[in-house]
Amino acid sequence: MARIVVITSGKGGVGKTTTSAALATGLAMEGHRTAVIDFDVGLRNLDLIMGCERRVVYDFVNVINGDANLRQALIKDKRTENLFILPASQTRDKDALTEEGVEKVLDELSQEFDYIICDSPAGIERGALMAAYFADAAIVVTNPEVSSVRDSDRMLGILSSKTRVAERGEGPLPAKLLLTRYSPERVEKGEMLSVDDVTEILSIEMLGVIPESQSVLNASNAGMPVILDAESDAGQAYRDAVARFLGEDRPHRFLTTQKKGLFGRLFKG
Amino acid sequence: MKGIFNYFRSPRQGSAKVAKERLQVIVARERSHRSGPDYLPALHRELLEVIRKYVQVGDEAVQMSLENQGDCEILEVNITLSEPERQV
Protein backbone atom coordinates (compact mmCIF):
# COMPACT_ATOMS: atom_id res chain seq x y z
CA MET A 1 0.00 0.00 0.00
CA ALA A 2 1.55 3.26 -1.11
CA ARG A 3 1.66 6.46 0.89
CA ILE A 4 0.13 9.28 -1.17
CA VAL A 5 1.70 12.73 -0.67
CA VAL A 6 0.41 15.94 -2.26
CA ILE A 7 2.75 18.85 -2.97
CA THR A 8 0.56 21.94 -2.94
CA SER A 9 0.59 25.68 -2.22
CA GLY A 10 -2.34 27.68 -3.52
CA LYS A 11 -0.09 30.29 -5.11
CA GLY A 12 1.71 29.57 -8.37
CA GLY A 13 5.42 29.80 -9.04
CA VAL A 14 6.57 29.00 -5.51
CA GLY A 15 8.32 25.71 -6.33
CA LYS A 16 5.74 22.91 -6.24
CA THR A 17 7.08 21.13 -9.32
CA THR A 18 10.72 21.66 -8.32
CA THR A 19 9.84 20.20 -4.91
CA SER A 20 7.84 17.29 -6.36
CA ALA A 21 10.77 16.36 -8.60
CA ALA A 22 13.27 16.69 -5.74
CA LEU A 23 11.22 14.78 -3.18
CA ALA A 24 10.31 11.96 -5.59
CA THR A 25 13.94 11.61 -6.68
CA GLY A 26 15.14 11.73 -3.07
CA LEU A 27 12.73 8.99 -1.98
CA ALA A 28 13.71 6.82 -4.96
CA MET A 29 17.40 7.33 -4.13
CA GLU A 30 16.65 5.94 -0.67
CA GLY A 31 15.35 2.78 -2.35
CA HIS A 32 11.61 3.48 -2.17
CA ARG A 33 9.62 2.70 -5.28
CA THR A 34 8.19 6.09 -6.16
CA ALA A 35 5.75 7.46 -8.75
CA VAL A 36 5.33 11.18 -9.30
CA ILE A 37 2.14 12.42 -10.99
CA ASP A 38 1.64 15.79 -12.70
CA PHE A 39 -1.92 16.95 -11.88
CA ASP A 40 -1.59 20.22 -13.82
CA VAL A 41 -3.89 19.29 -16.68
CA GLY A 42 -3.38 21.64 -19.61
CA LEU A 43 -0.05 22.97 -18.34
CA ARG A 44 2.26 19.95 -18.24
CA ASN A 45 5.66 20.86 -16.78
CA LEU A 46 6.90 18.12 -14.47
CA ASP A 47 8.24 16.28 -17.54
CA LEU A 48 10.51 19.27 -18.35
CA ILE A 49 11.80 19.54 -14.79
CA MET A 50 12.49 15.79 -14.74
CA GLY A 51 14.08 15.95 -18.20
CA CYS A 52 11.81 13.36 -19.81
CA GLU A 53 9.68 15.65 -22.01
CA ARG A 54 10.68 13.87 -25.22
CA ARG A 55 9.64 10.48 -23.90
CA VAL A 56 5.99 11.35 -23.19
CA VAL A 57 3.68 9.10 -25.21
CA TYR A 58 0.58 8.67 -23.06
CA ASP A 59 -0.54 10.78 -20.12
CA PHE A 60 -2.64 10.73 -16.94
CA VAL A 61 -5.91 11.51 -18.75
CA ASN A 62 -5.25 8.81 -21.37
CA VAL A 63 -5.04 6.31 -18.50
CA ILE A 64 -8.21 7.62 -16.85
CA ASN A 65 -10.09 7.40 -20.16
CA GLY A 66 -8.79 3.89 -20.85
CA ASP A 67 -6.88 4.94 -24.00
CA ALA A 68 -3.70 3.53 -22.47
CA ASN A 69 -2.78 1.47 -19.45
CA LEU A 70 -0.49 2.61 -16.64
CA ARG A 71 2.40 0.49 -17.88
CA GLN A 72 2.32 2.35 -21.20
CA ALA A 73 1.99 5.81 -19.66
CA LEU A 74 4.54 5.62 -16.82
CA ILE A 75 7.97 6.94 -17.82
CA LYS A 76 10.89 5.22 -16.13
CA ASP A 77 13.45 7.77 -14.98
CA LYS A 78 16.83 7.34 -16.65
CA ARG A 79 18.96 8.70 -13.82
CA THR A 80 17.36 7.27 -10.72
CA GLU A 81 16.31 3.70 -10.03
CA ASN A 82 12.82 3.06 -8.61
CA LEU A 83 11.42 6.32 -10.05
CA PHE A 84 8.52 6.70 -12.49
CA ILE A 85 6.77 9.77 -13.90
CA LEU A 86 3.13 10.05 -14.97
CA PRO A 87 2.85 13.21 -17.09
CA ALA A 88 -0.15 15.54 -17.20
CA SER A 89 -2.38 15.76 -20.21
CA GLN A 90 -2.26 18.83 -22.44
CA THR A 91 -6.02 18.71 -22.94
CA ARG A 92 -7.93 21.88 -22.20
CA ASP A 93 -10.89 19.92 -20.85
CA LYS A 94 -11.02 20.95 -17.20
CA ASP A 95 -13.27 18.06 -16.25
CA ALA A 96 -10.83 15.43 -17.53
CA LEU A 97 -9.82 14.51 -13.97
CA THR A 98 -12.81 12.67 -12.56
CA GLU A 99 -12.81 11.59 -8.94
CA GLU A 100 -13.46 7.96 -9.94
CA GLY A 101 -10.73 8.08 -12.57
CA VAL A 102 -8.12 9.55 -10.23
CA GLU A 103 -9.03 7.06 -7.50
CA LYS A 104 -8.70 4.13 -9.91
CA VAL A 105 -5.24 5.23 -11.09
CA LEU A 106 -4.04 5.85 -7.52
CA ASP A 107 -5.38 2.45 -6.40
CA GLU A 108 -3.55 0.73 -9.22
CA LEU A 109 -0.30 2.62 -8.50
CA SER A 110 -0.65 1.75 -4.80
CA GLN A 111 -0.23 -1.92 -5.64
CA GLU A 112 3.27 -1.38 -6.98
CA PHE A 113 4.72 1.68 -5.31
CA ASP A 114 5.80 2.77 -1.83
CA TYR A 115 5.21 6.48 -2.43
CA ILE A 116 2.98 8.40 -4.83
CA ILE A 117 3.85 12.10 -5.10
CA CYS A 118 1.03 14.28 -6.47
CA ASP A 119 2.30 17.53 -8.01
CA SER A 120 -0.66 19.88 -7.61
CA PRO A 121 -1.48 22.73 -9.98
CA ALA A 122 -1.71 26.26 -8.51
CA GLY A 123 -5.06 27.59 -7.35
CA ILE A 124 -7.93 25.88 -5.55
CA GLU A 125 -9.80 24.60 -8.60
CA ARG A 126 -10.61 21.04 -9.54
CA GLY A 127 -7.03 19.96 -10.40
CA ALA A 128 -5.69 21.13 -7.06
CA LEU A 129 -8.59 19.58 -5.15
CA MET A 130 -8.16 16.26 -6.98
CA ALA A 131 -4.40 16.22 -6.28
CA ALA A 132 -5.10 16.65 -2.56
CA TYR A 133 -8.28 14.61 -2.12
CA PHE A 134 -6.81 11.10 -1.82
CA ALA A 135 -3.59 12.13 -0.06
CA ASP A 136 -2.36 10.66 3.22
CA ALA A 137 -0.05 13.63 3.83
CA ALA A 138 0.60 17.08 2.41
CA ILE A 139 3.62 19.27 1.89
CA VAL A 140 2.71 22.93 1.50
CA VAL A 141 5.32 24.91 -0.43
CA THR A 142 5.61 28.55 0.59
CA ASN A 143 7.80 31.54 -0.24
CA PRO A 144 8.59 34.01 2.58
CA GLU A 145 6.28 36.57 1.01
CA VAL A 146 2.83 37.83 2.05
CA SER A 147 0.63 36.48 -0.75
CA SER A 148 2.26 33.07 -0.68
CA VAL A 149 1.88 32.74 3.10
CA ARG A 150 -1.74 33.80 2.99
CA ASP A 151 -2.55 31.35 0.18
CA SER A 152 -0.80 28.59 2.11
CA ASP A 153 -3.07 29.22 5.07
CA ARG A 154 -6.08 29.04 2.78
CA MET A 155 -4.76 25.78 1.36
CA LEU A 156 -4.23 24.37 4.87
CA GLY A 157 -7.89 25.11 5.55
CA ILE A 158 -8.90 23.18 2.44
CA LEU A 159 -6.63 20.26 3.35
CA SER A 160 -8.23 20.02 6.77
CA SER A 161 -11.75 19.69 5.38
CA LYS A 162 -11.88 18.77 1.69
CA THR A 163 -9.82 15.58 1.68
CA ARG A 164 -10.85 11.94 1.98
CA VAL A 165 -9.00 11.60 5.29
CA ALA A 166 -10.89 14.60 6.70
CA GLU A 167 -14.25 13.50 5.30
CA ARG A 168 -13.84 10.09 6.92
CA GLY A 169 -13.44 11.88 10.23
CA GLU A 170 -9.85 10.72 10.63
CA GLY A 171 -8.80 14.26 11.53
CA PRO A 172 -7.18 16.90 9.33
CA LEU A 173 -4.69 15.77 6.70
CA PRO A 174 -1.18 15.78 8.23
CA ALA A 175 0.62 18.71 6.61
CA LYS A 176 4.10 20.15 6.82
CA LEU A 177 5.62 23.29 5.38
CA LEU A 178 8.51 23.65 2.96
CA LEU A 179 9.86 27.19 2.76
CA THR A 180 11.59 27.90 -0.55
CA ARG A 181 13.59 30.81 -2.04
CA TYR A 182 14.80 31.72 1.44
CA SER A 183 17.41 34.46 1.58
CA PRO A 184 19.22 34.71 4.95
CA GLU A 185 20.82 38.02 3.89
CA ARG A 186 17.45 39.64 3.34
CA VAL A 187 16.05 38.13 6.55
CA GLU A 188 18.96 39.58 8.53
CA LYS A 189 18.32 42.98 6.97
CA GLY A 190 14.71 42.74 8.09
CA GLU A 191 13.50 42.66 4.50
CA MET A 192 12.12 39.13 4.45
CA LEU A 193 9.91 37.06 6.75
CA SER A 194 12.04 34.64 8.77
CA VAL A 195 11.51 30.90 9.28
CA ASP A 196 10.21 31.67 12.76
CA ASP A 197 7.82 34.34 11.45
CA VAL A 198 6.26 31.96 8.92
CA THR A 199 6.10 29.08 11.42
CA GLU A 200 4.37 31.34 13.92
CA ILE A 201 1.85 32.75 11.44
CA LEU A 202 0.86 29.39 9.99
CA SER A 203 1.45 27.33 13.18
CA ILE A 204 2.71 24.35 11.25
CA GLU A 205 5.80 22.15 11.40
CA MET A 206 8.66 23.02 9.05
CA LEU A 207 9.84 20.13 6.89
CA GLY A 208 12.62 22.08 5.23
CA VAL A 209 14.00 25.45 4.21
CA ILE A 210 15.42 25.71 0.70
CA PRO A 211 17.72 28.70 0.18
CA GLU A 212 17.36 30.98 -2.83
CA SER A 213 19.92 29.49 -5.17
CA GLN A 214 21.17 29.76 -8.71
CA SER A 215 21.39 25.98 -8.75
CA VAL A 216 17.58 25.64 -8.93
CA LEU A 217 17.45 27.47 -12.27
CA ASN A 218 20.53 25.64 -13.51
CA ALA A 219 18.89 22.32 -12.68
CA SER A 220 15.60 23.19 -14.38
CA ASN A 221 17.51 24.47 -17.43
CA ALA A 222 19.16 21.08 -17.65
CA GLY A 223 16.04 19.05 -16.85
CA MET A 224 17.61 17.52 -13.77
CA PRO A 225 16.00 17.49 -10.30
CA VAL A 226 18.07 19.87 -8.18
CA ILE A 227 18.42 17.26 -5.43
CA LEU A 228 20.89 15.44 -7.74
CA ASP A 229 23.20 18.47 -7.52
CA ALA A 230 24.87 17.32 -4.32
CA GLU A 231 27.30 20.27 -4.40
CA SER A 232 24.57 22.91 -4.24
CA ASP A 233 23.02 24.36 -1.10
CA ALA A 234 19.48 23.84 -2.48
CA GLY A 235 20.26 20.23 -3.37
CA GLN A 236 21.59 19.57 0.13
CA ALA A 237 18.62 21.30 1.74
CA TYR A 238 16.27 19.05 -0.26
CA ARG A 239 18.24 15.97 0.86
CA ASP A 240 17.76 17.09 4.46
CA ALA A 241 14.03 17.57 3.84
CA VAL A 242 13.73 14.05 2.38
CA ALA A 243 15.56 12.60 5.39
CA ARG A 244 13.21 14.45 7.75
CA PHE A 245 10.24 13.25 5.72
CA LEU A 246 11.46 9.70 6.31
CA GLY A 247 11.60 10.35 10.05
CA GLU A 248 15.22 11.35 10.55
CA ASP A 249 15.94 14.23 12.93
CA ARG A 250 18.18 16.74 11.14
CA PRO A 251 18.89 20.36 12.05
CA HIS A 252 17.95 23.02 9.48
CA ARG A 253 20.91 24.42 7.53
CA PHE A 254 21.47 27.52 5.38
CA LEU A 255 19.41 29.74 7.70
CA THR A 256 22.13 32.28 8.41
CA THR A 257 24.62 34.18 6.33
CA GLN A 258 28.30 33.34 6.46
CA LYS A 259 29.71 35.62 9.14
CA LYS A 260 31.79 38.29 7.47
CA GLY A 261 35.02 39.61 8.92
CA LEU A 262 35.53 43.29 9.71
CA PHE A 263 36.72 43.98 6.16
CA GLY A 264 33.70 42.33 4.60
CA ARG A 265 31.43 44.29 6.86
CA LEU A 266 33.12 47.60 6.20
CA PHE A 267 33.12 47.17 2.46
CA LYS A 268 29.52 46.02 2.49
CA GLY A 269 28.46 49.01 4.61
CA MET B 1 34.36 55.48 17.04
CA LYS B 2 31.67 53.39 18.68
CA GLY B 3 29.12 55.37 16.74
CA ILE B 4 30.66 54.34 13.45
CA PHE B 5 30.50 50.67 14.37
CA ASN B 6 26.91 51.02 15.44
CA TYR B 7 26.15 52.66 12.13
CA PHE B 8 27.46 49.65 10.24
CA ARG B 9 25.88 47.21 12.62
CA SER B 10 22.45 48.63 13.26
CA PRO B 11 19.82 46.41 11.67
CA ARG B 12 17.84 48.45 9.20
CA GLN B 13 14.20 48.70 10.12
CA GLY B 14 12.85 46.43 7.45
CA SER B 15 9.53 45.72 5.86
CA ALA B 16 9.39 42.14 7.20
CA LYS B 17 7.91 43.36 10.48
CA VAL B 18 5.04 45.05 8.67
CA ALA B 19 4.51 41.94 6.55
CA LYS B 20 4.26 39.76 9.66
CA GLU B 21 1.77 42.04 11.39
CA ARG B 22 -0.44 42.30 8.30
CA LEU B 23 -0.37 38.54 7.80
CA GLN B 24 -1.25 37.81 11.42
CA VAL B 25 -4.33 40.02 11.17
CA ILE B 26 -5.60 38.72 7.83
CA VAL B 27 -4.88 35.06 8.60
CA ALA B 28 -6.71 35.27 11.93
CA ARG B 29 -9.68 36.91 10.23
CA GLU B 30 -9.84 34.41 7.41
CA ARG B 31 -9.53 31.48 9.81
CA SER B 32 -12.45 32.70 11.89
CA HIS B 33 -14.55 33.00 8.72
CA ARG B 34 -13.54 29.48 7.68
CA SER B 35 -14.33 27.87 10.98
CA GLY B 36 -17.79 29.44 11.13
CA PRO B 37 -20.90 27.79 9.69
CA ASP B 38 -21.55 28.12 5.94
CA TYR B 39 -24.48 30.52 6.36
CA LEU B 40 -22.45 33.28 8.06
CA PRO B 41 -21.40 35.15 4.89
CA ALA B 42 -24.98 35.09 3.56
CA LEU B 43 -26.36 36.23 6.92
CA HIS B 44 -23.81 39.03 6.96
CA ARG B 45 -24.79 40.14 3.45
CA GLU B 46 -28.52 40.07 4.15
CA LEU B 47 -28.16 41.94 7.43
CA LEU B 48 -26.31 44.67 5.55
CA GLU B 49 -29.08 44.82 2.94
CA VAL B 50 -31.78 45.20 5.60
CA ILE B 51 -29.86 47.89 7.45
CA ARG B 52 -29.24 49.78 4.22
CA LYS B 53 -32.96 50.09 3.68
CA TYR B 54 -32.91 52.56 6.55
CA VAL B 55 -29.34 53.81 7.07
CA GLN B 56 -26.42 54.14 4.70
CA VAL B 57 -23.55 52.08 6.10
CA GLY B 58 -20.29 50.64 4.78
CA ASP B 59 -19.41 46.93 4.57
CA GLU B 60 -17.52 47.19 7.85
CA ALA B 61 -20.62 48.32 9.76
CA VAL B 62 -21.68 44.77 10.58
CA GLN B 63 -19.16 42.71 12.54
CA MET B 64 -20.02 39.16 13.49
CA SER B 65 -18.23 36.70 15.68
CA LEU B 66 -19.15 33.22 16.74
CA GLU B 67 -17.93 31.83 20.02
CA ASN B 68 -18.32 28.56 21.78
CA GLN B 69 -19.13 28.68 25.47
CA GLY B 70 -19.69 25.34 27.07
CA ASP B 71 -22.27 23.54 25.00
CA CYS B 72 -23.82 26.60 23.39
CA GLU B 73 -22.71 28.86 20.57
CA ILE B 74 -22.97 32.61 20.90
CA LEU B 75 -23.31 34.70 17.76
CA GLU B 76 -22.35 38.26 18.48
CA VAL B 77 -23.46 40.85 15.93
CA ASN B 78 -22.16 44.37 16.21
CA ILE B 79 -23.73 47.03 14.05
CA THR B 80 -21.91 50.33 14.02
CA LEU B 81 -23.71 53.36 12.67
CA SER B 82 -21.57 56.30 11.71
CA GLU B 83 -22.12 59.58 13.54
CA PRO B 84 -25.25 61.25 12.17
CA GLU B 85 -24.43 64.50 10.44
CA ARG B 86 -25.29 67.36 12.72
CA GLN B 87 -28.42 69.27 11.80
CA VAL B 88 -27.82 73.00 11.56
Side-chain angles (χ1 to χ4, degrees), chain A residues 117-135:
Chain A
I117 308 301
C118 302
D119 181 19
S120 172
I124 50 174
E125 304 288 321
R126 185 182 192 86
L129 296 180
M130 278 297 111
Y133 186 73
F134 297 100

Side-chain angles (χ1 to χ4, degrees), chain A residues 62-157:
Chain A
N62 290 145
V63 178
I64 288 177
N65 292 342
D67 304 331
N69 61 40
L70 260 178
R71 202 173 293 277
Q72 293 170 300
L74 281 173
I75 302 171
K76 187 177 190 310
D77 192 85
K78 282 197 167 165
R79 298 189 187 89
T80 314
E81 275 290 297
N82 310 313
L83 181 58
F84 290 81
I85 300 117
L86 183 56
S89 165
Q90 292 285 44
T91 177
R92 291 168 66 184
D93 176 11
K94 290 220 166 193
D95 299 325
L97 292 184
T98 59
E99 190 173 314
E100 298 74 28
V102 172
E103 183 173 23
K104 195 169 141 272
V105 172
L106 291 176
D107 279 348
E108 204 179 325
L109 285 171
S110 287
Q111 310 292 320
E112 287 193 38
F113 289 93
D114 303 321
Y115 287 97
I116 302 171
I117 308 301
C118 302
D119 181 19
S120 172
I124 50 174
E125 304 288 321
R126 185 182 192 86
L129 296 180
M130 278 297 111
Y133 186 73
F134 297 100
D136 303 306
I139 295 174
V140 178
V141 184
T142 306
N143 290 167
E145 177 273 328
V146 286
S147 51
S148 176
V149 174
R150 180 207 210 164
D151 287 358
S152 294
D153 191 66
R154 180 103 171 79
M155 184 49 76
L156 286 166

